[in-house]
Amino acid sequence: MFSSLLRYSQPTHGAKVSLLFNKRLILPFFIIALLAFDTARPIVVAALSDAFFQVSVFVAATLLVYYFLVDRIPQLNLSYLSTKSPILEIGMASILGALPGCGGAIIVVTQFTKKQASFASVVAVLTATMGDAAFLLLAKEPLTGLTIIAMGVGVGIVSGLCVHLIHQPDFCVPQTVNEVEEETLHASRAFSLSRKVWKLCLLPSLVISFAIAFNFDLAPFDTQVAWLGAILCLFAVCVWALNSKGVSYKDITCEEGECDPPSKLTRVLQDTHFVTAWVVASFLLYELSTAYLGLDLALWFKDYAIYAPLVAILVGLLPGCGPQIVVTTLYLQGVVPFSALAANAVANDGDALFPAIALAPRAALFATIYSAVPAFIVGYGLYYINLA
């Protein structure tokens, strides 16, 4: 399957050379290597199948509903709201940030660099955003996802208002704005194949996913279901790996750019593949560390629970949505506590930190530091409330 996907990728000599430097390919090659070992194969197949049927399918369905109901986020002019009231501007920035994905946060960061939004609104939006990890949480635990989103809005507003009292609106605004070239995705043949596979498999996979979720007896077909899920999951990971240059840290941890021509289905599949790859990495980390290293991550976090929010905050400070999906996945597996998830959600700046670093690095640094403060308060506040 992997060799056929390589043939389905860009056939030019330049593209073949670039494959050698594509760090995304490490994950599918690692999975295929593990499948060659008899002792590892059952663990890997189970992890891939669980990732596909318990996560990927629900994420794809959630994204379809989201993208088709919300055609696009209106690009509200925050400078108008700021003239009316800083509270309105900061409140709108927090709401935009709390929307699943990173689109709302990127809007506010871009408007800040154009002097159309205040620094306080940047802190508010980066504090409120959870990035693509929100889609995963909404798909698996909708109530928890809505709770985190509501918490993000509230903490974002409070953080923004505090920063507004400390700094002027134009604090850290770059004097000159450099245009950042956005990478446009031209769908590869592998991605075109993926569209066909998902159209064929999504509905039957959704039926299987619901059957698993509601504990229907699938015992006579356990082996077939496990291998079907594993193959489809590996396919999604391979397409994710081949659909990017995979050279830089941003290429690996950030979702793909806009597709050309624009397509909601392509956007859904891009995000689904991205989430799937990071969930698979998380599942394998957990299962292999338990099976071969004797490391029980759940027990470790229980024994050293006081450090869990701090670790989650440090991960949240990393740009991109990939590391944050790892934390959310570990929460859904019962490894990390809710206090760590909440701390990560507040500290997490998602993909919006990349344009902030490129266009206004000083503002990005201060905003990241400021978002870590409420993350620490929220994480350890929930930790000690849970102890009480």
Side-chain angles (χ1 to χ4, degrees):
M1 180 187 68
F2 192 71
S3 60
S4 65
L5 277 173
L6 285 174
R7 291 196 298 271
Y8 254 89
S9 63
Q10 300 295 339
T12 63
H13 175 71
K16 290 179 180 178
V17 172
S18 67
L19 287 176
L20 299 176
F21 303 97
N22 188 343
K23 296 181 181 66
R24 285 190 176 191
L25 288 171
I26 294 173
L27 180 59
F29 276 129
F30 180 63
I31 294 171
I32 292 170
L34 287 173
L35 288 171
F37 294 94
D38 292 338
T39 55
R41 190 179 303 123
I43 298 173
V44 176
V45 169
L48 292 174
S49 181
D50 289 346
F52 184 78
F53 286 123
Q54 296 181 26
V55 177
S56 302
V57 174
F58 287 120
V59 169
T62 302
L63 286 168
L64 277 172
V65 173
Y66 178 83
Y67 283 121
F68 281 93
L69 288 182
V70 183
D71 187 35
R72 61 176 181 174
I73 301 171
Q75 205 164 2
L76 296 175
N77 193 331
L78 295 181
S79 61
Y80 170 78
L81 293 176
S82 65
T83 60
K84 298 296 182 181
S85 170
I87 297 177
L88 289 177
E89 179 198 8
I90 291 168
M92 180 55 67
S94 298
I95 292 171
L96 288 173
L99 293 173
C102 298
I106 292 172
I107 287 173
V108 177
V109 169
T110 303
Q111 291 191 0
F112 169 73
T113 62
K114 296 178 180 179
K115 303 181 181 180
Q116 296 174 355
S118 67
F119 177 71
S121 68
V122 173
V123 174
V125 76
L126 293 181
T127 302
T129 191
M130 192 183 179
D132 285 352
F135 288 123
L136 172 60
L137 195 58
L138 287 169
K140 290 296 294 177
E141 292 188 11
L143 185 58
T144 304
L146 292 173
T147 301
I148 290 290
I149 288 173
M151 181 196 69
V153 173
V155 176
I157 291 173
V158 173
S159 301
L161 290 175
C162 290
V163 169
H164 174 73
L165 296 176
I166 300 172
H167 296 294
Q168 295 295 319
D170 60 352
F171 178 72
C172 288
V173 171
Q175 297 304 311
T176 58
V177 179
N178 298 320
E179 293 295 330
V180 176
E181 183 179 350
E182 292 292 335
E183 182 179 356
T184 302
L185 171 72
H186 296 277
S188 63
R189 293 180 183 177
F191 200 87
S192 299
L193 175 63
S194 174
R195 290 171 61 95
K196 297 176 183 177
V197 171
W198 274 101
K199 286 180 180 179
L200 180 66
C201 297
L202 179 57
L203 189 57
S205 298
L206 195 59
V207 172
I208 295 173
S209 296
F210 275 115
I212 294 172
F214 288 101
N215 295 316
F216 281 94
D217 185 14
L218 298 176
F221 310 101
D222 276 350
T223 302
Q224 293 86 341
V225 168
W227 274 102
L228 174 64
I231 291 170
L232 291 175
C233 186
L234 180 57
F235 174 77
V237 171
C238 290
V239 174
W240 167 79
L242 293 169
N243 209 48
S244 168
K245 297 177 182 178
V247 176
S248 66
Y249 172 84
K250 179 180 177 181
D251 291 337
I252 299 169
T253 62
C254 182
E255 63 188 28
E256 280 75 36
E258 289 298 323
C259 54
D260 183 25
S263 165
K264 292 184 180 68
L265 179 58
T266 299
R267 182 77 261 176
V268 167
L269 297 185
Q270 285 175 0
D271 290 352
T272 301
H273 294 160
F274 174 77
V275 172
T276 298
W278 280 92
V279 167
V280 167
S282 306
F283 276 22
L284 290 177
L285 170 67
Y286 177 71
E287 296 295 342
L288 294 177
S289 64
T290 300
Y292 291 103
L293 301 178
L295 177 62
D296 190 336
L297 293 178
L299 182 61
W300 188 90
F301 274 104
K302 183 179 179 180
D303 291 342
Y304 300 96
I306 192 169
Y307 298 112
L310 180 60
V311 172
I313 291 169
L314 294 176
V315 174
L317 297 180
L318 297 173
C321 291
Q324 324 315 331
I325 290 174
V326 172
V327 175
T328 304
T329 304
L330 293 176
Y331 165 77
L332 292 172
Q333 289 179 310
V335 176
V336 301
F338 180 76
S339 58
L341 174 71
N344 176 263
V346 175
N348 168 17
D349 298 333
D351 294 345
L353 199 56
F354 287 116
I357 292 171
L359 297 172
R362 189 161 171 260
L365 175 61
F366 276 98
T368 301
I369 294 172
Y370 281 134
S371 66
V373 174
F376 189 87
I377 295 171
V378 168
Y380 279 100
L382 290 172
Y383 171 78
Y384 284 111
I385 288 174
N386 187 54
L387 289 181

